[in-house]
Amino acid sequence: MGSAALGTLFHKWRDGTFRELLADWKWIFTYTKQYKWAVACYILLGILSSSFGLVSAVASKYTIDIITGYETSKLSVVIVIMVGSALVGILLRCLTSRVSTKISLHVNNDIQASIFDKVLDADWLSLSKYPSGDVLNRFNSDVNTVASNAISWLPNIVIGVYTFLATFCVILYYNVVMALIALASAPFLILSSRYFLRKMRKHNERMKEMGSRLMAYEAEAFSNMDTIKSFGLMGRYSKGLRDLQKTWKQFSLDYNLFTIQTDAALSLLSSLVQFTAFGYCLYLLWTHQIAYGTMTLFLTQNAKLSSTFSSLIGLVPAFLNSAVSAHRIRELVQLAKEPHDPDSSQLDPLADKGYQVKMTDLTFQYEPDAPVITDAAFLAQPGEIVALVGPSGEGKTTLIRLMLGLVRPSSGRVFLRAENGLEIEMNAETRRQFSYVPQGNTVMAGTIADNLRMVKEDATDEELMEVLNLACAWDFVSRLPEGLNSSVGERGRGLSEGQAQRIAIARAILRDAPVLLLDEATSALDAATERQVLRNIIRSRPNKTCIVTTHRPSVLTLCQRMYRVTERQVRELSQEEAARLAMDF
């Protein structure tokens, strides 16, 4: 496997893609350079461990020569040196392993934290092109691959090269021919790598892509368990998983067969060198040119020289694997960032008066030449409830995303306008002026209090009870065994849809932002509760700008303004049209 990877490196050198590998590793080293002293300590410990190993081997030679020659005068000293060197070598290897593990964990955490922050700040549209399972696979598996090799790879090369040269010099000191025989495995390993060139290429990418597909499939299944069960799709999804597993298994077995063939060929070459060395040692021993101790030293160090060179070659797959993983991570890290406009802070002192939410001449498209919204105009003012109505899939949620600055117009404007005339285009910073309740269940695992305090960590229990009352949720929360401290499961498990929606609305009210966005957020409530919640919000927060997407007539009769979204158009309805539409629902 190592020689095949080496062949891949040669190929990349020829076709010009080796530069990409270096770029990936340059990126990895940006995380490891802060641990340069620890890396230096790692290298020093490795070199010392290797050196004491050689001292122990030479001491073993003299011990055997002394015993076979029946000269015991220096035996105790040599044994002390041999045993002491071996023990020190073991201690140093243990320290090296400990240092390596600690640094790898630090690097793993650093990379994960950095990537997590950058993914959270990535452009929504760019990030949405990656399935969640793929992102998770990169975030966990690829980061672990990089972290495990980021610290050890370069030091292991330095230590391996030192060990190889030091071992070669020891053998060379005693016998030149034996040193050349021991070195003979190196060119065999290098030349054999060219045969395995095409087999290694693209394997890592294929396996990692398959891993991402598996994780994405599993994540989708687990997050949609209710749908799968309700439609009786368990068998279909189970079969789908097994089909993916079958493909994964075939990829793995193909590569396993390739590595077995490679290792067998390399083992044959290594054995040939070992037998040659053994035969030459027997000849030297037969002709009395060496003693038994020297023969033992030759054979053990010849094997060590061969294994060290194989280990160095074996570092090449680690180099390639880490580069592939780093490249996949960098794809996430290099996603476009959300725009942050520092001028948005000028809105903060004006929040009490509320803001207008405006769109003018707005056109938006997710894909080129496929507009979703065309030439839209929209206005919502403080103290108003403004409705967005229309068939599903016509662009209502897209308008909400535009208001939140998650996506940006292809042309035209979407902005906040303060009472003093200040206008700020929507961006990541204006999002703090919004409280948002999306479609679906957005309650997270934890207590009800935890879910509410997500948006205001220092909120008192009295504040929590107040917003729960406004959201018509305190009645059922107060009856729970532990009230505010009652636990709920992931995605609000343990609550009904209506209860979960009211908790989410209470959380949005607690945030107390000037603009409240409700995207079908009251769909699970009965009409009376829905009307009461909206009345409570407007009465308690009169300067809020409330924007709702809905199909419910009970909401429409409360709205001061109504926009219909259909066929890529956003049109404000007249009072007569709005009244007629409310009756038609």
Side-chain angles (χ1 to χ4, degrees):
M1 184 168 63
S3 62
L6 189 61
T8 302
L9 283 184
F10 290 155
H11 181 78
K12 287 183 174 294
W13 184 278
R14 291 197 303 270
D15 67 12
T17 58
F18 187 76
R19 188 177 302 172
E20 295 177 9
L21 294 177
L22 294 181
D24 292 328
W25 267 94
K26 184 178 179 181
W27 177 82
I28 293 173
F29 285 142
T30 62
Y31 288 94
T32 59
K33 65 182 180 182
Q34 59 184 306
Y35 302 105
K36 57 186 177 183
W37 295 113
V39 172
C41 178
Y42 179 105
I43 293 173
L44 179 61
L45 289 172
I47 289 175
L48 288 175
S49 175
S50 178
S51 299
F52 277 102
L54 283 172
V55 170
S56 179
V58 173
S60 298
K61 163 201 162 355
Y62 284 107
T63 301
I64 294 172
D65 286 344
I66 287 172
I67 291 175
T68 55
Y70 300 102
E71 289 188 26
T72 59
S73 58
K74 298 180 180 179
L75 180 61
S76 59
V77 175
V78 174
I79 290 178
V80 167
I81 293 174
M82 179 182 67
V83 175
S85 299
L87 292 176
V88 171
I90 292 171
L91 176 61
L92 290 173
R93 284 195 296 274
C94 292
L95 287 173
T96 302
S97 176
R98 181 67 174 175
V99 169
S100 173
T101 300
K102 290 184 71 173
I103 301 175
S104 293
L105 288 172
H106 280 300
V107 173
N108 185 85
N109 290 343
D110 287 348
I111 296 176
Q112 276 197 331
S114 175
I115 292 169
F116 191 75
D117 292 342
K118 289 176 180 177
V119 167
L120 289 180
D121 195 37
D123 175 72
W124 181 88
L125 201 56
S126 299
L127 184 61
S128 65
K129 296 176 182 178
Y130 292 84
S132 58
D134 184 32
V135 174
L136 284 173
N137 194 38
R138 294 172 191 239
F139 184 72
N140 290 295
S141 176
D142 288 317
V143 168
N144 183 63
T145 298
V146 169
S148 63
N149 291 309
I151 292 300
S152 61
W153 187 79
L154 186 58
N156 283 342
I157 285 183
V158 175
I159 295 167
V161 169
Y162 169 81
T163 302
F164 181 85
L165 293 177
T167 303
F168 178 75
C169 289
V170 167
I171 300 175
L172 184 65
Y173 175 79
Y174 288 101
N175 190 284
V176 174
V177 176
M178 180 57 67
L180 294 176
I181 293 174
L183 195 63
S185 60
F188 279 122
L189 288 171
I190 293 174
L191 291 174
S192 64
S193 66
R194 300 179 66 87
Y195 173 76
F196 306 105
L197 172 61
R198 296 186 182 276
K199 295 285 186 179
M200 185 67 180
R201 191 180 181 190
K202 299 296 182 181
H203 169 76
N204 289 320
E205 291 91 335
R206 185 173 70 163
M207 293 297 291
K208 290 183 181 296
E209 288 170 5
M210 193 64 214
S212 291
R213 285 179 59 192
L214 263 172
M215 188 169 287
Y217 187 87
E218 293 159 359
E220 182 183 61
F222 291 142
S223 63
N224 292 282
M225 190 62 70
D226 291 351
T227 302
I228 292 172
K229 285 181 175 293
S230 62
F231 280 99
L233 300 175
M234 293 83 73
R236 174 175 178 161
Y237 270 81
S238 180
K239 181 179 181 300
L241 177 65
R242 283 165 172 75
D243 288 343
L244 289 173
Q245 287 178 327
K246 183 178 179 180
T247 304
W248 170 267
K249 181 181 73 173
Q250 191 59 52
F251 285 176
S252 300
L253 289 176
D254 288 346
Y255 188 67
N256 174 255
L257 179 60
F258 163 65
T259 55
I260 289 173
Q261 294 169 342
T262 304
D263 290 341
L266 296 179
S267 297
L268 184 62
L269 291 173
S270 179
S271 297
L272 180 62
V273 173
Q274 291 294 326
F275 285 137
T276 302
F278 183 66
Y280 184 66
C281 282
L282 289 178
Y283 166 75
L284 294 178
L285 189 64
W286 178 266
T287 56
H288 303 289
Q289 296 182 51
I290 61 172
Y292 287 107
T294 305
M295 177 179 176
T296 303
L297 178 66
F298 282 170
L299 294 177
T300 56
Q301 295 312 297
N302 176 72
K304 184 176 180 180
L305 195 71
S306 179
S307 65
T308 300
F309 188 81
S310 297
S311 297
L312 285 171
I313 297 297
L315 290 174
V316 178
F319 176 83
L320 291 173
N321 289 343
S322 295
V324 169
S325 292
H327 192 80
R328 285 163 51 83
I329 296 169
R330 288 174 65 202
E331 286 181 351
L332 294 182
V333 172
Q334 293 171 353
L335 288 175
K337 292 184 178 181
E338 292 188 304
H340 293 261
D341 185 354
D343 291 339
S344 302
S345 60
Q346 298 177 36
L347 291 169
D348 295 342
L350 309 171
D352 290 342
K353 299 292 185 179
Y355 309 118
Q356 292 181 353
V357 178
K358 296 192 69 174
M359 298 180 184
T360 58
D361 302 320
L362 183 142
T363 296
F364 175 78
Q365 54 192 22
Y366 289 104
E367 301 291 341
D369 302 322
V372 178
I373 303 292
T374 303
D375 297 326
F378 176 87
L379 174 65
Q381 303 189 86
E384 289 185 337
I385 300 178
V386 178
L388 292 170
V389 299
S392 297
E394 291 292 322
K396 298 188 299 296
T397 298
T398 296
L399 289 176
I400 296 292
R401 289 172 182 159
L402 285 160
M403 295 175 197
L404 289 170
L406 294 172
V407 294
R408 288 163 294 286
S410 305
S411 63
R413 300 179 64 202
V414 52
F415 57 94
L416 289 177
R417 189 176 192 275
E419 187 185 44
N420 67 354
L422 175 66
E423 296 180 352
I424 299 292
E425 303 291 328
M426 299 304 186
N427 64 88
E429 300 300 326
T430 57
R431 209 170 294 148
R432 64 174 175 267
Q433 310 298 341
F434 290 80
S435 290
Y436 174 46
V437 185
Q439 299 179 32
N441 190 329
T442 58
V443 176
M444 301 183 183
T447 66
I448 291 175
D450 290 338
N451 270 276
L452 296 175
R453 288 194 173 105
M454 288 172 59
V455 297
K456 188 179 181 183
E457 293 182 1
D458 59 351
T460 63
D461 285 354
E462 290 72 22
E463 289 178 288
L464 301 188
M465 286 185 273
E466 178 192 2
V467 296
L468 287 169
N469 266 313
L470 293 175
C472 297
W474 177 244
D475 184 51
F476 77 81
V477 171
S478 63
R479 294 198 301 268
L480 294 173
E482 297 182 66
L484 288 169
N485 295 315
S486 298
S487 295
V488 294
E490 185 181 2
R491 296 176 63 85
R493 189 174 62 252
L495 299 176
S496 70
E497 283 296 313
Q499 289 173 334
Q501 279 193 343
R502 280 177 276 174
I503 295 295
I505 293 170
R507 181 170 58 200
I509 298 172
L510 181 64
R511 181 175 171 86
D512 200 25
V515 184
L516 178 63
L517 298 179
L518 302 175
D519 189 4
E520 297 286 358
T522 58
S523 58
L525 306 183
D526 61 81
T529 302
E530 182 181 49
R531 290 177 68 86
Q532 187 61 51
V533 168
L534 292 174
R535 285 197 181 105
N536 289 347
I537 292 172
I538 293 301
R539 288 172 183 170
S540 64
R541 307 289 194 276
N543 287 326
K544 280 204 185 306
T545 304
C546 186
I547 302 170
V548 299
T549 69
T550 185
H551 294 89
R552 303 284 291 275
S554 55
V555 175
L556 298 180
T557 56
L558 294 174
C559 295
Q560 287 73 38
R561 201 186 307 270
M562 194 181 304
Y563 289 85
R564 186 174 183 84
V565 185
T566 182
E567 295 180 352
R568 302 197 298 270
Q569 301 295 314
V570 180
R571 186 172 67 86
E572 183 177 3
L573 302 180
S574 66
Q575 290 184 348
E576 293 78 9
E577 289 175 314
R580 188 162 54 251
L581 181 63
M583 292 178 61
D584 291 341
F585 266 97

